[in-house]
Structures are given as C-alpha cells and as structure tokens.
Amino acid sequence: MTELDPREKEGGRDPPDALRARRLLVPGGASPATRAAAALDRLQLGAGAWLEREIEAGRGFPWLPVLFGIGALIYFALPSEPSFAALAGLAVLLWALAVWRRQSAGAVRLLIVLAMAASGTAAMKLRTDNLATRVLERQVTGTVTGWVEDRKARRGGYRLTLRVASLDARRVTTVPQRVTVTVRGKTAPNVGDGVSVLARLRPASGPVLPGGYDFARDSYFRGIGATGFAYGAARPADIGPAPLSIRLRQPLEAVREAIRARIVAGLDGESRYIASALIIGDAGGLAEKTEDDLRLSGLAHVLSVSGLHMVLVTGVVFWSVRAGLALIPSLALRRPIKKWAAIAALLVSGFYLLISGLDVAAQRSFIMTSIVFLAVLLDRRAISMRNVALAGLLVLAITPESILSASFQMSFAATVALVAGFEILADRRRRRAEPGLVGNRSRAAAVPRQFALFVGGMAVTSLLGGLGTTPFALYHFQRMAPLSILANVAAMPLTDFLVMPFALLSVLAMPFGLEALPLWVMDWGIGGMLGVSATVSHWSGQSGGAAMPGAAALLLFVAGFVWLALWHERWRLLGLLPMLLGTALALMPARPGILVAADGKQLAIRGEDGAYRIVAGDPDRFISEIWLRSDGDGRDAREAGVVQAGGCDASGCVGLLPDGRRVALALDRSAFEEDCRRASLVVTPLAAPENCARHAAVIDRHVLARTGSIALSFAEKEESPGPAPQATVPNAPKPDSSKLDAQKPSILGADGEFVGLASGRGPSRYDLVERNADDEDVLAPEPPAAAPETTAATAPRPAVAFELRAAYPPVRRPWMPAYEAEPADQ
C-alpha cells in the first residue's frame, strides 16, 4: 500500500459503503466479473435508496395488512391442521427478535415481515378453534326446534337461520348450533320466536369442482352447521326465552321489518326489492332476470350494502350538516363545524349498519368509513392509502377468513385501485400546474368543462374500480362486465344524486309518515338505473363469460397489482410484469376432459366441439350451471344440447369421449355387469364390485368420500392383450363379496343393432354404441374376415392414465367432511 492509497489508514479500512462507491467507477478495461459486480452494486444501492424514500414517505405501513393476509392464506394452504401454541409461539418469538434487533434497520424490517405473516396464520388458527362449528355429518330428515336468529326474504318464501335447541332425527350424533332452512309462504316467524319445523337437512356442499368455491368452508366460518328446506310451515314452539344475543337483536329487527313494510307499501314492482336491498340489505324477491341484467351490466354491486352506499349516505349527512352549520356565522367562525359534521356522519353510519342487518360486508364498509371520519376528527388526511390499510388490518384481525371471500377481495381491490389511481393523477396535476396562472374563463365557458370533468371522473372511477375487481370476478364468478364503464357512467349519477340521498330522507321521514315523496323520487331513480342495466346487458349479451383462471394466475396478477398500487417510486412499474404474466396464464386455463360430482351422480364430458355434455339420470341444475360457467360456457343448464340426449336407462348412463371410449355412470348395482366390461371409466355413487377395477378405472363412493369432486384429464397408450389395468385414481377399500356375473350374449335386431341383454331387462343405455357380433366394442374398423377371431378376454384395450385433481386433500381440515377409510358395505 502506498501512502496515498485511501483504502488503508492507520491499520484500518474504509467502511463497506465507501468501497462499494468506488466499485461503481469501473475502468474501461475492467473484467466482466468486475462489471457485473459494479452493476449489482448499483442495483442494490438504487433499490436501497428507493426503499428508504418509500419508508420515509409512510408507504411501508400499507404492506402490514398484506403480510397479515398472506399469513392467513398460509394457514389455508397448510397440508394439515397446525397447532395454535406453535404458531403463537413463533409469532411472539419473531416480534421479540424484532424488538431486540431494532438498531439494525434491515434486520428489523425482515423480522417484522415474518412476524406479521406468522401473526396472520396464528390469528386464523385462533379464529377456527374459537368457532368450532358443529357440522351435521350426513343428510337427514327430522324436526328442528329452535329460535329464529335471522330471516331473509326469498322468491316464494323466507330463509330462516335457526339457533338449534334440539334436532329429532335418526342416527344423528352431532347437532349443529345453527341451521338455515328455506320456508315457503308469504309469512314467516319473527326474530326471537321459538319454532319447530320438519326439514330436510344436509351439510353444506364442498367445491362443485376442484379449485371452486367451497360452500362448506363459508358455512363453517358463519357458524352454520347444516342447510336445507322445510316441509310445510314453521310451527310455534314453547321452548323458553331466546338467548341473550337474539333478544338484543329483536328491537332492531322490529325496526327493519317496519321499514320493509313501509317500502313495500310505497313502491311496487322490482323497485321495492332494490330499495329494500339499499336500505335494509335484503333484496329477497328480486326477479332472476333483473339480477342477470344487473350482473351483466356491471351494476350488481348496488344490491349489497357496501362501501359505495355507506360513503354516499354518510357523505350526504357530512356535507349537509356542515353546510347547515356554515350558515350560522357565529358557529362557522368559532367552532369546529367540520368535526361536528364528521360526528354526525359517524352516528348515521352506525345506524345504517344496524338497519342493514349487520352483514359482514356492511361491517367492513362501516369500519372503512369510520376510519375516514376519525381521520377528520384527528385533523389527518381523510382519504389515503394508510387509512385503507388500517381498515384492512382491522377487518382481518376480526375476521381473518375474509381474505378468501370475494366481497372482501373486490371491495379492497377497488378501493386500493381508486386511491392509488387518483394519487397518481393528483401528482401529475401538481407537476403540470403553473404557479400564478389564473383562469379567465367565463361562467358559460366553464360549464361544459365541468361537465366533461364530471363524466371523465365517473369513467376513470369505473375504469379503476374495474381494474381492481375484474380478476376476482373472473376467478370467483367467471364473468366480467365488458360495458361496465358505460353502465356506471350512465347509472351512477342517478344513484349518487337521487337514489341514495332520497333513501336517507325516506327513512328519516318514516316516523312522521312523510316517506311517500322521497320514495317516489327514489323509485324514479331506481327505474332509470334498471333501464340502464337492461339496455347495457342486452348490448353485452353473453360476451362477459370466461373460463375460470387458475389460482396461480390470480396470485401473480394480485402480487403485481399490489406492488404497483402500494409503492410510490418508479420501481412500482415492475408490478406490471407479474400482472402481464398472470393475464397470460389466465388465458390458458385448465380444461379437464371429465368432471365428476362429489356425490357420484353426475358427470360432465367434454365433446369433440370442446363443450361439456352433462351425463346424469336426473341432472342437478345447480351443479351443471357452475360447471358450464367455470368453462366459460354461456349456455343455460336447461338449454337443449347441454344434457346428453339418450344414453340413459333406469340403471345408469353412458357417455362417449371424443376418441370413442366409454364413460359409464352406474346408478344401480345391476349396471356393473355391463359397465365394468365395456367402459374405460366407471363412476358410481355405490360401492363398486372388487373385480370391476380389473376391467376399468373406477370412481366409486369410497374414492369420492376421500376426494370430493374430481376433475380428470387423461391420455391413452396402447397395451398388450389382456384385461385392462387398474386405474390410477386414489385407491380405496373394496368389498370382497361382490363379483362380476358371467358375460351374457347380446341380442341383435335384423339390422344388427343392439336391442338388449338375454336377461330380458329393458333397452340398454348402450343402444347407440356400435358393437360386433361377439359383443365387443368396436374402437376401430373391424379386421378382415380372415383375421383370427377375438374375444373380450384377448382383445387389445386402451390403458387410461388419469391426471386427477381432487377437491379435498387426504388430511381433512375442520371445515371439510370427515374421512375415515372403513369397510365397504352394499
């Protein structure tokens, strides 16, 4: 070292930052390794500087609810149920380490990231354990006695939520705490009444297809242990006073029913149901066509009390109170009238939450709105990403399972997109503003500009909200509204200036009997909104449907979206890459060839045209519609051609794959004799005979008990002569006593078509299957006459290698139906 060498003085060396700064000055003849090291250093220093500026600007806090939500998602992704003590201990340890290493900025930030995720996982586990919802183990018919906890109007009746006092049914070992029962009729008991009803109950169903919406999980976290329908009306039952929580709700429910009665008396047609949805959160009775029009036009969000409704109502109160107080100079000049208006808005938002039925979405909206007005009371900025993050953190802390709900995801995605978008627009406007520039436009010239700004603002708001919600709408509902911007620009002024303000006025006028005029104005606005939805939905047609994207596509898009929205520096643009990748993956969804219902009574087979055909003796319309929608198929389940025409008899059905192979649906034990010999795949809700798996792939009730609904993709490979190998579906116990009967010769008509079996039973579902004189399936052109005769035992058969996706993992979680391998019975 020379004396002038700055890298060493008095036995010491420069700090790493100084060395790194010198490494950025790379000589022209430096080696590639040196250049790469310098480039890496520049990237590291730039990212570090960006991160420091983001943290100083307060952009780190919005990531806390994201990390907490990731922890909740980790809980659901775990292969088996974790221990709360272990999760809580890990979270406490990480927080303790963060406090201990608080002097090191990098270490403490990493530890906070890990601690927030661990806290989210622990909170989700605590929530699951505290609920411990008792779920009915199987479908039963019995008499349910309990107290009415909630009631909602439905087309042709009501849906009651009962707090169960007793359940009189055969072989019931687990009595749920709550059940929901649909009761027909125009009247229903009130909240708090004791009732007894004969009902058909079943546990909530799991995903209709792998990766689909899990109704059982949603019911578990709502405390619902069974659902069903009633035989006849609910009868009064003397079972004593209702629990305290129900008694506390009785006065509130009386107010809600009184409001409903006034709305029904003052309005008619669909307007009364829309008004009920906007005011008390109950749209029961709305026609199916109206719901479809609102959904296709992108206006379905008006049917649930959400942030939009809460903001409109509280905004009207806030500005009305503030404007009224501003007319009094002594108050306007000496008192904090803005804070007084915020307090009034908070009180009204609380009342709106109560009369809307305390729905989860309404609670979430109340929290978000309350934080905005609390910020006003504390002289803080009301609308900011920090307040959105605080609302999200509170909601997740109370109900961490909300992270999986479509309403939570779409609500916060839209809010984040709006706040981030208008922050960017405000920044650009500030940079373009010229100090000292004073507009000299006349009032007449300003009117068109203000109108254009209003329309443009509505369009930008709809565009930003659509950007945030469309990925979730495609994933959960397989539908987007292509003309939603047009519908919202046309309908939202009616909602903002007529419907919601006069809804508030009508409620305030009801105690005085003066609600007729506000309801009339509200009816006029609702009529205009419904006209917009009908027109736009007609223009949209069925163009908004799309196949369900995979979870990986959604996660990639959301990761990029969050990165783009929450950061403020230019590196936020890196979020566009995962968003584009997620979009590309969404355009390549999984397209299984066969779908199997969880009960084994229904199939969907993809035909040569790429569309599903439903194979079932009695198709379940609910399942069929979800299957079609998940495939981006806009057909109605009742439309001709959706359900396979023919191919069924009393004992089951058979469907043909595009390559000519057969899939059999055996609904009766008499079908196994023929199905196991002829089909490549046998699906049955029964316990299949043991020997059936030697001839075909088998999915029976034991397999379905383990997997739930199934999606199958398969490939064919040629195999040497002999019996078909066993399928690669999950194995399950089979009965030892059942054997296949000996093959019986077929009976052919004069034209060579198959008529039936020698046993004499009715026409077979194999009527349309081409077979030769030896009762063999014809998979290819028949060999020449000189070819040696083949039999069923020696004919080559295709081997089927299934790629199986199951709805449930082998290890059950608390909200999943229990599974234990047990000896099969008939």
Side-chain angles (χ1 to χ4, degrees):
M1 290 289 178
T2 65
E3 184 177 354
L4 298 179
D5 192 338
R7 289 177 294 176
E8 186 172 328
K9 286 186 179 181
E10 298 179 0
R13 297 185 64 84
D14 288 344
D17 290 342
L19 292 176
R20 186 179 294 112
R22 274 194 303 279
R23 287 172 60 185
L24 298 179
L25 304 175
V26 183
S31 65
T34 303
R35 291 178 178 275
L40 183 62
D41 283 339
R42 284 195 296 270
L43 179 61
Q44 184 177 356
L45 286 174
W50 277 342
L51 180 61
E52 291 299 330
R53 289 195 295 269
E54 297 277 17
I55 298 298
E56 290 177 2
R59 308 297 290 195
F61 181 81
W63 283 93
L64 295 183
V66 175
L67 297 169
F68 193 90
I70 290 174
L73 289 176
I74 290 174
Y75 167 82
F76 288 106
L78 292 175
S80 60
E81 195 66 15
S83 165
F84 172 72
L87 295 175
L90 176 62
V92 171
L93 176 62
L94 289 171
W95 283 114
L97 289 174
V99 174
W100 178 51
R101 296 298 304 275
R102 62 185 179 274
Q103 302 300 329
S104 174
V108 74
R109 288 169 185 167
L110 177 60
L111 288 169
I112 287 176
V113 167
L114 297 176
M116 283 300 298
S119 299
T121 309
M124 190 64 252
K125 171 61 178 173
L126 179 63
R127 172 75 171 165
T128 303
D129 290 348
N130 283 342
L131 283 173
T133 303
R134 296 195 301 269
V135 180
L136 192 67
E137 65 271 17
R138 61 183 181 84
Q139 183 170 271
V140 299
T141 299
T143 301
V144 186
T145 303
W147 298 273
V148 178
E149 189 173 75
D150 187 27
R151 73 172 193 173
K152 290 186 179 297
R154 289 294 180 265
R155 282 189 289 268
Y158 286 83
R159 188 185 67 183
L160 303 179
T161 300
L162 302 180
R163 183 80 64 88
V164 178
S166 64
L167 173 58
D168 184 12
R170 296 180 57 187
R171 297 167 57 189
V172 171
T173 58
T174 302
V175 178
Q177 301 106 316
R178 293 179 182 84
V179 300
T180 59
V181 179
T182 300
V183 180
R184 293 290 179 182
K186 297 182 179 180
T187 60
N190 297 317
V191 171
D193 291 350
V195 297
S196 179
V197 59
L198 178 64
R200 183 70 166 173
L201 298 176
R202 59 174 178 82
S205 59
V208 173
L209 74 163
Y213 181 72
D214 193 342
F215 300 92
R217 183 184 61 214
D218 177 70
S219 295
Y220 180 91
F221 287 105
R222 290 191 296 117
I224 305 298
T227 183
F229 59 91
Y231 295 106
R235 304 180 302 276
D238 186 10
I239 52 176
L244 178 62
S245 60
I246 298 180
R247 296 203 304 272
L248 292 176
R249 292 191 58 175
Q250 284 182 282
L252 176 62
E253 292 298 324
V255 172
R256 296 182 70 234
E257 289 304 316
I259 294 175
R260 186 205 303 274
R262 295 292 185 92
I263 293 173
V264 171
L267 301 177
D268 56 9
E270 298 295 275
S271 294
R272 55 183 172 180
Y273 302 120
I274 299 289
S276 297
L278 295 173
I279 296 175
I280 63 174
D282 189 354
L286 193 65
E288 187 175 357
K289 183 182 184 303
T290 304
E291 290 184 0
D292 292 340
D293 289 343
L294 291 170
R295 185 182 68 252
L296 292 173
S297 63
L299 296 176
H301 56 84
V302 303
L303 293 180
S304 63
V305 176
S306 61
L308 171 67
H309 306 79
M310 197 73 73
V311 166
L312 289 176
V313 169
T314 55
V316 168
V317 173
F318 177 79
W319 293 111
S320 299
V321 172
R322 189 180 182 186
L325 294 176
L327 296 176
I328 306 175
S330 59
L331 293 178
L333 296 175
R334 297 182 178 87
R335 301 297 179 184
I337 61 173
K338 182 179 180 181
K339 295 183 179 181
W340 290 3
I343 293 174
L346 275 173
L347 294 175
V348 171
S349 67
F351 176 72
Y352 191 18
L353 172 67
L354 293 176
I355 66 171
S356 65
L358 296 171
D359 188 70
V360 175
Q363 295 177 30
R364 183 167 55 249
S365 303
F366 171 75
I367 291 174
M368 296 175 66
T369 307
S370 299
I371 288 176
V372 170
F373 288 110
L374 286 174
V376 173
L377 293 175
L378 298 175
D379 297 318
R380 303 294 297 270
R381 184 179 176 185
I383 300 177
S384 67
M385 195 66 73
R386 187 181 186 88
N387 289 344
V388 176
L390 183 58
L393 193 58
L394 287 175
V395 171
L396 289 176
I398 297 171
T399 56
E401 71 275 8
S402 298
I403 192 67
L404 292 178
S405 70
S407 60
F408 173 90
Q409 294 169 359
M410 298 177 72
S411 174
F412 275 96
T415 305
V416 168
L418 289 170
V419 174
F422 281 105
E423 280 182 348
I424 295 173
L425 293 176
D427 289 344
R428 294 184 62 183
R429 186 177 180 181
R430 279 195 297 269
R431 286 195 298 268
R432 292 180 178 180
E434 299 181 22
L437 182 64
V438 179
N440 295 318
R441 297 184 179 89
S442 65
R443 291 180 178 271
V447 171
R449 180 173 179 271
Q450 294 296 327
F451 179 76
L453 287 175
F454 172 77
V455 175
M458 295 293 295
V460 171
T461 299
S462 180
L463 178 63
L464 291 173
L467 175 65
T469 58
T470 295
F472 299 102
L474 287 176
Y475 181 78
H476 291 286
F477 310 115
Q478 296 80 57
R479 179 163 293 281
M480 60 181 178
L483 300 179
S484 62
I485 295 179
L486 178 61
N488 281 276
V489 169
M492 283 302 99
L494 297 174
T495 304
D496 296 349
F497 300 114
L498 289 180
V499 177
M500 292 309 299
F502 282 91
L504 174 63
L505 288 177
S506 66
V507 173
L508 296 177
M510 283 179 184
F512 307 99
L514 302 175
E515 71 276 3
L517 179 60
L519 284 177
W520 179 82
V521 178
M522 188 180 179
D523 181 37
W524 190 85
I526 292 174
M529 184 182 67
L530 292 179
V532 170
S533 68
T535 302
V536 175
S537 65
H538 176 70
W539 292 344
S540 300
Q542 298 296 328
S543 60
M548 184 176 71
L554 178 67
L555 291 175
L556 275 173
F557 188 94
V558 171
F561 169 76
V562 171
W563 184 275
L564 180 66
L566 297 190
W567 291 132
H568 197 67
E569 295 285 333
R570 291 181 61 185
W571 68 344
R572 70 175 185 267
L573 297 178
L574 293 175
L576 294 174
L577 295 178
M579 290 176 70
L580 292 174
L581 181 58
T583 302
L585 288 178
L587 297 176
M588 298 180 291
R591 306 295 294 271
I594 301 174
L595 296 176
V596 181
D599 60 2
K601 297 180 179 179
Q602 183 165 324
L603 306 174
I605 301 176
R606 193 177 299 281
E608 294 182 356
D609 58 355
Y612 280 131
R613 297 291 183 271
I614 305 300
V615 180
D618 183 17
D620 187 314
R621 181 187 170 195
F622 174 74
I623 296 176
S624 300
E625 288 182 344
I626 293 180
W627 281 353
L628 294 174
R629 193 175 67 216
S630 70
D631 199 48
D633 192 333
R635 295 176 299 168
D636 188 271
R638 296 167 293 187
E639 187 176 327
V642 172
V643 178
Q644 176 180 273
C648 290
D649 62 14
S651 58
C653 302
V654 65
L656 290 177
L657 300 176
D659 60 4
R661 287 179 292 186
R662 283 78 176 163
V663 178
L665 178 64
L667 303 177
D668 187 85
R669 291 202 55 79
S670 61
F672 290 129
E673 171 193 339
E674 194 172 17
D675 289 344
C676 295
R677 287 189 291 113
R678 301 191 177 280
S680 296
L681 172 66
V682 176
V683 178
T684 176
L686 309 172
E690 179 185 12
N691 283 2
C692 191
R694 297 175 56 186
H695 299 263
V698 176
I699 298 177
D700 66 355
R701 76 179 186 192
H702 300 292
V703 174
L704 292 169
R706 177 181 176 183
T707 63
S709 58
I710 291 176
L712 291 172
S713 301
F714 51 90
E716 179 182 316
K717 64 179 182 178
E718 291 299 327
E719 184 182 290
S720 59
Q726 294 192 14
T728 58
V729 293
N731 57 353
K734 304 288 182 182
D736 296 332
S737 57
S738 299
K739 304 294 182 181
L740 286 176
D741 296 336
Q743 297 184 14
K744 298 180 181 180
S746 62
I747 299 177
L748 301 178
D751 55 358
E753 292 185 350
F754 178 74
V755 177
L757 289 178
S759 59
R761 61 184 176 86
S764 170
R765 58 202 173 283
Y766 286 91
D767 288 351
L768 302 179
V769 177
E770 183 181 358
R771 298 188 294 179
N772 61 19
D774 293 323
D775 201 23
E776 296 172 340
D777 297 330
V778 180
L779 302 177
E782 294 190 25
E789 183 179 359
T790 58
T791 63
T794 61
R797 298 189 59 175
V800 185
F802 287 100
E803 297 177 2
L804 182 146
R805 290 175 56 220
Y808 287 140
V811 180
R812 293 295 198 254
R813 307 297 292 276
W815 58 88
M816 298 178 183
Y819 169 73
E820 295 181 3
E822 59 183 20
D825 52 14
Q826 304 305 317

